[in-house]
Amino acid sequence: MKNLRAELEQRQQHQLYRSRRIVDSPQGPVITIDGQQRLNFCSNDYLGFANHPDIRRAFIRGIETYGNGSGAAHLVNGHSRAHHALEEELAAFSGYPRALLFSTGYMANLAIAQALCGRGDLVLEDRLNHASLLDAGLLSGARLQRYQHLDTDDLSAKLAGRDRGEKLVLTDAVFSMDGDMAPLAAISKTCRENDSWLMVDDAHGIGVLGKQGRGSLSHQLIQGTDVPIYMATLGKAFGTAGAFIAASEDIIEYLIQTARSYIYTTAMPAALAEASREALRQLQQDEWRREHLGALITRFKQGAREMGINLMPSDTAIQPIMIGDTGRAVALSQQLFEQGILITAIRPPTVPEGTARLRVTLSAAHSNQQVEQLLDVLNSLI
Ligand SMILES: *Cc1c(COP(=O)(O)O)cnc(C)c1O
């Protein structure tokens, strides 16, 4: 048996030990965490919807209509009218014939890889993909290969060498720990030329990018037909929880029949689906949130550049500050906390060795003044 205590202590020595802080407030620009109020610059609540009053009310109405739990899996009797309506609305919003709800993004990603691929097949992934996509590739039983970040030549070379079995390419649209974007038109073309499936994970694009918040495909002017499978989550800009896959009629029906992470799990509460339906309505109409967020991103980048802070090449709400050394990133995060600002240090194995960073995220809920405060504190520390 392995020595768990020794392994835990080793993690502690290498500044890799992870622990939870306890939150006593809703998410928002200011949260109460470990009993202290802190300016929050690390949640994925990009539009400030996690505590939006209309969405809260929709959630409560959903509970009054459907009760607390959904009772069973979708294929038993857990698939409520609220779930069904949300699927139809998400399909229309993302421009696909059908959409299928999942309880989490992690499970949605497992579903697609496992449904389309198995032993003898090939899954190709950008090397900086989110861990849930990498796990999806590994657990599918297919051969998993990673291509260089954003490098369609490398992708093309790896696809071209393969003429048997299924091929599936998985990529983040907006890279979760970096904030940069995949070149979707070029990736799509490479996949079509090589007879490969393609799924794009838009967890950080939906709601934030594109016309009416339609996400990365809209932002990059890509037709839905060029990306056969689109996945996005509801726990970030939507401010609720869950995820969906949008695709053709046949792909969705195939998932319903075969995807184990869809079939063998309890449906999310119907009330949560009602809350997500309201979030979808709000995010389409509130263009001002995306405009304000865009202005904050521009201001933050400009301010950080003037201070000589090492930002990564990102134009999105994810604005990581590259630190490198894990110990230094952890110490800076601690100093920020003492100065009233919450930004977690992102360390290996979430990011590659030697690339520890402070992952700053901006939200439409932040005020200009709060971003100035962040810049002032960073200026005094970095
Ligand atoms: C957050 C995230 C997921 C996982 O979604 P959950 O609903 O939180 O399980 C998947 N992919 C990416 C890129 C993410 O950032």
Side-chain angles (χ1 to χ4, degrees):
M1 283 160 74
K2 59 181 178 176
N3 185 339
L4 304 185
R5 182 44 44 199
E7 278 190 32
L8 289 169
E9 275 162 15
Q10 200 179 8
R11 275 177 182 252
Q12 234 150 1
Q13 277 159 19
H14 292 92
Q15 312 273 3
L16 294 175
Y17 203 79
R18 296 164 186 250
S19 53
R20 288 108 28 104
R21 290 193 174 116
I22 293 176
V23 174
D24 281 307
S25 66
Q27 286 292 319
V30 178
I31 65 171
T32 307
I33 186 159
D34 277 355
Q36 320 228 33
Q37 287 208 341
R38 289 292 178 268
L39 247 182
N40 170 20
F41 282 103
C42 57
S43 89
N44 302 310
D45 181 22
Y46 299 122
L47 297 178
F49 278 6
N51 191 33
H52 187 297
D54 293 347
I55 302 170
R56 286 166 64 134
R57 275 192 287 275
F59 212 150
I60 292 165
R61 274 199 311 276
I63 292 171
E64 283 162 355
T65 309
Y66 294 99
N68 303 321
S70 65
H74 285 275
L75 288 170
V76 180
N77 68 354
H79 186 66
S80 70
R81 185 160 302 285
H83 294 116
H84 202 73
L86 176 58
E87 287 183 344
E88 288 176 348
E89 289 158 12
L90 288 169
F93 178 65
S94 43
Y96 287 81
R98 291 279 300 276
L100 188 68
L101 274 180
F102 287 82
S103 296
T104 71
Y106 193 107
M107 293 163 76
N109 284 341
L110 295 191
I112 202 73
Q114 177 249 316
L116 296 182
C117 291
R119 204 176 296 273
D121 298 329
L122 177 66
V123 175
L124 278 166
E125 307 209 22
D126 187 292
R127 63 183 290 273
L128 297 188
N129 270 356
H130 189 263
S132 63
L133 287 171
L134 296 170
D135 289 1
L138 283 170
L139 294 173
S140 72
R143 170 143 181 251
L144 171 64
Q145 266 192 305
R146 301 209 250 176
Y147 58 90
Q148 293 302 313
H149 185 47
L150 311 180
D151 186 344
T152 44
D153 291 338
D154 191 30
L155 170 62
S156 181
K158 290 189 156 82
L159 277 173
R162 184 84 178 184
D163 51 11
R164 68 201 146 74
E166 299 295 317
K167 290 172 271 191
L168 170 65
V169 173
L170 300 173
T171 184
D172 282 25
V174 175
F175 285 84
S176 58
M177 297 300 138
D178 303 76
D180 54 354
M181 296 183 210
L184 295 178
I187 291 175
S188 160
K189 181 163 173 279
T190 306
C191 288
R192 269 178 283 130
E193 286 167 357
N194 290 281
D195 203 20
S196 169
W197 299 100
L198 167 63
M199 185 182 82
V200 168
D201 174 339
D202 203 21
H204 300 276
I206 196 166
V208 186
L209 297 175
K211 205 168 145 235
Q212 293 176 303
R214 283 172 204 274
S216 294
L217 306 194
S218 163
H219 180 75
Q220 296 194 30
L221 305 175
I222 307 284
Q223 301 290 329
T225 46
D226 290 340
V227 174
I229 309 157
Y230 177 77
M231 174 274 185
T233 70
L234 307 175
K236 286 157 184 154
F238 274 68
T240 55
F244 70 96
I245 289 176
S248 69
E249 183 76 30
D250 284 353
I251 291 172
I252 296 299
E253 279 303 319
Y254 195 75
L255 286 171
I256 294 173
Q257 307 307 317
T258 65
R260 299 175 67 84
S261 66
Y262 182 74
I263 299 170
Y264 298 107
T265 196
T266 302
M268 69 168 71
L272 183 54
E274 286 294 5
S276 295
R277 293 180 71 196
E278 182 60 27
L280 180 58
R281 276 190 284 278
Q282 297 283 340
L283 72 81
Q284 289 177 78
Q285 75 198 25
D286 284 359
E287 208 56 62
W288 64 268
R289 290 181 193 270
R290 282 178 287 277
E291 283 164 13
H292 177 57
L293 177 58
L296 295 179
I297 294 166
T298 304
R299 170 61 193 137
F300 177 75
K301 288 182 65 170
Q302 175 219 0
R305 204 178 305 120
E306 282 165 13
M307 293 169 197
I309 284 176
N310 190 11
L311 289 183
M312 297 175 63
S314 161
D315 295 320
T316 65
I318 303 168
Q319 288 291 329
I321 301 172
M322 178 56 79
I323 304 297
D325 178 64
T326 299
R328 175 135 193 276
V330 171
L332 277 168
S333 171
Q334 188 55 40
Q335 287 161 8
L336 283 161
F337 192 77
E338 284 155 16
Q339 307 261 337
I341 295 198
L342 181 68
I343 303 173
T344 45
I346 306 288
R347 299 165 279 180
T350 306
V351 292
E353 207 59 56
T355 69
R357 64 199 71 173
L358 295 169
R359 180 175 177 272
V360 175
T361 52
L362 299 168
S363 164
H366 288 124
S367 66
N368 297 330
Q369 188 262 329
Q370 287 167 329
V371 170
E372 294 306 323
Q373 198 179 333
L374 168 66
L375 286 166
D376 287 344
V377 174
L378 284 172
N379 199 19
S380 72
L381 291 180
I382 294 187

